[in-house]
Amino acid sequence: MTVQTPQPHTQPILPLSTLLLMATACGLCAGANYFNQPLLHSMAQSLQISDALASSTVTMAQVSYGLGLLFLVPLGDMLERRGLVLALMLLAACGMLASGISGLTGSFALLAGGTLMAGVFSVAAQVLVPMAATFAAPGASGRAVGLVMSGLLIGILASRSVAGILSDLGGWSTVYWVGAACTALMAVLLSRALPRAAPTAPVSYGAVMQSLAVLIRQYPRLRSRALIGGLGFATVSVLFSTMALLLAGPQFRLSDMEIGLIGIAGIAGALMANVAGRMADKGLEQHTTLAGAVLLLLGWLALWLGGTSLWWFLAGMLVVDGALQALHISNQNVIYALAPEARSRINAVYMTTYFIGASIGSALGSWAWLGQGWTGTSIMGLVLGLATLAMVCRDRQLVHQKPSTR
């Protein structure tokens, strides 16, 4: 297939105000998939469903986001990207609106539908990130992407806290009403601020999807690093799909607001992203990856004790969150070096695997909680942590193989 390379021309450079808007939009879109995590107990009581059924919405959000990554993000190479971003954000806002209405009607089916819709279309964030690099000032693409990505990460981490606070103020569905309004407003603001972005590779959808399979076959370390990311996120998703059930239960009896505020502690884990980035710049990503895998296991040992101690729970949550950031940043550093000319497609493969792992982890966490409570959940976290460590060891073997095999 023939890929048309844009000819050099003068193009607009995004000012800081627009980059901040993009960062906020990324945070809103990504965070919407995490609104439900501190609200599961309240959802179950309000809709008169089981805790397990309520926690299934966590899996739904992550599965739908993974599908959006795989099937919608490649459209950024085929369609005008500003229009694509705006359409995706407005559709995501409609999904949040449906989830908010479910709180009034008492319909779990409507909540499930809204969760799936918001999840699949919130991948607008993954279209905005490469736009930041495209329209950055010369020599400043890294800083532009870093700023937008920081908004995405903060949105994910802060969303649980915001959801808990709004739930205490106006009920669990309040966060969905607010999220829908803010996302729609952000789409309007971006429509005025973003420049038009013509397709970078106007090829057929089938050709783009076919190239993803070629990359997977061609690069064993793309497969190993994607599996490290997927297993690592699965391990952490076991925690996030069940923590509200533990903290709201008879052992701790915390409110939605208190559970949400505990989630703020997870922002400290974002500091590990900077540490991991500096380590990768020094060529130490293998050591960082191994440290992340070991920290996952240590974190789950602390979380096991956290079944009866809030302090142990907080310590364990901080450790596993930081460990995931170490794995994620190291993974990205490795895979982007495999084929610099195909970074967006490589990222689609990696991020799809990443969120499929999250959805599997959420489902396994809910299943373990239903069967054996927090003890079963902790064992599941440890088992997935061991699987992550095993894949890290496999990746280390690939490093020492011939270049043609990795």
Side-chain angles (χ1 to χ4, degrees), residues 154-170:
I154 292 172
I156 290 174
L157 295 173
S159 59
R160 304 181 188 99
S161 302
V162 172
I165 293 170
L166 290 177
S167 177
D168 262 21
L169 293 176

Side-chain angles (χ1 to χ4, degrees), residues 343-368:
R343 283 178 176 170
S344 61
R345 285 169 287 161
I346 278 180
N347 193 51
V349 171
Y350 173 76
M351 292 302 297
T352 299
T353 309
Y354 193 67
F355 280 93
I356 288 175
S359 64
I360 292 173
S362 297
L364 290 175
S366 299
W367 175 76

